[in-house]
Amino acid sequence: MEAKFNLILQTLPEIGKVFRVESETCSIGRDPENSIMINHPEVSRKHAILVNENGTYFIQDLGSMNGTYVDGERVDGVHGVNPGDIISMGETVSFIFQPIQNTQQLTPLAEETLITDPLAAESEAEYPEPVEEIHLEEADSMLKGDGKKPGNSKMREFTRLLAIILIVVLVCIVIGFVLFIWFIDHYALWCTVLPFLFQPGVCP
């Protein structure tokens, strides 16, 4: 049977994607075994089925959690579908039901997915192509430039200066202590400067 109608997806990120209705029955849901697989949290695994009876199309909700709607009216049982109707699943996912000739006029660049058999949908299910990623390490290298961040360079410079100051202070303390010991020993000032180091009666 030659396809007469298309379902045009109106939901990001694949807005404008065209599903050609080829079989007498077209199942829609999140399960890959459906004729039209829509991987969206508002769509049930077996959400709805579109049926062609002698050129007249009907849609039936399959007990989905978020419901099926035609032009805003919730489907309870079986509901007729006419060209131009909006078929919604939950509050986010929606399709336009259009004849093929109108679809070609409205979406000349839209990608078509031919639905011939529900079991073939799994192999034909499409996933977004991987987007080229810039890893955190690469981004960090770009920001570093020559490998040194300005903030880290300043911190290292400050730390180095502080270490030099501490070393100079320690050297001065050691030299001062040595000169102090030499001075009191040279002039025999032990009892005068440090009398508490000797036992009573040693110092005059």
Side-chain angles (χ1 to χ4, degrees):
M1 181 190 71
E2 183 181 358
K4 301 292 185 180
F5 288 88
N6 288 334
L7 287 174
I8 310 170
L9 187 62
Q10 302 296 298
T11 305
L12 293 173
E14 297 182 295
I15 187 170
K17 184 174 181 179
V18 176
F19 296 92
R20 183 179 295 180
V21 180
E22 181 71 9
S23 57
E24 293 288 339
T25 59
C26 178
S27 60
I28 307 171
R30 200 172 68 251
D31 195 310
E33 293 186 358
N34 289 288
S35 304
I36 298 178
M37 193 274 287
I38 304 296
N39 188 15
H40 192 280
E42 288 195 14
V43 178
S44 298
R45 293 177 59 84
K46 303 289 185 181
H47 197 106
I49 187 169
L50 187 65
V51 180
N52 178 11
E53 293 186 2
N54 300 322
T56 301
Y57 284 85
F58 299 89
I59 193 166
Q60 179 181 1
D61 185 84
L62 299 178
S64 64
M65 180 176 296
N66 295 307
T68 303
Y69 301 81
V70 176
D71 287 343
E73 180 181 348
R74 183 155 188 162
V75 175
D76 185 11
V78 178
H79 194 290
V81 182
N82 299 309
D85 283 352
I86 304 294
I87 300 174
S88 303
M89 297 180 178
E91 298 180 355
T92 305
V93 180
S94 63
F95 303 87
I96 298 179
F97 186 68
Q98 284 285 4
I100 288 180
Q101 60 270 22
N102 291 355
T103 302
Q104 293 173 345
Q105 295 173 3
L106 291 173
T107 56
L109 299 179
E111 178 184 4
E112 292 189 355
T113 300
L114 180 63
I115 304 301
T116 55
D117 184 72
L119 297 179
E122 182 174 1
S123 61
E124 296 178 356
E126 298 182 3
Y127 300 92
E129 295 184 359
V131 180
E132 184 178 357
E133 295 182 354
I134 298 179
H135 296 285
L136 292 177
E137 293 81 1
E138 297 176 357
D140 192 47
S141 298
M142 294 177 184
L143 292 175
K144 288 180 178 178
D146 60 350
K148 295 181 179 179
K149 293 183 179 180
N152 288 347
S153 179
K154 291 181 179 179
M155 180 61 68
R156 282 193 292 268
E157 184 178 349
F158 174 78
T159 304
R160 188 180 300 113
L161 179 61
L162 183 60
I164 292 173
I165 293 174
L166 290 176
I167 292 172
V168 171
V169 171
L170 288 174
V171 170
C172 290
I173 292 174
V174 171
I175 293 175
F177 179 78
V178 171
L179 290 176
F180 174 76
I181 296 298
W182 175 85
F183 179 82
I184 62 176
D185 185 72
H186 182 73
Y187 292 100
L189 299 175
W190 289 101
C191 289
T192 303
V193 179
L194 302 171
F196 55 88
L197 295 178
F198 303 94
Q199 293 182 358
V202 173
C203 293

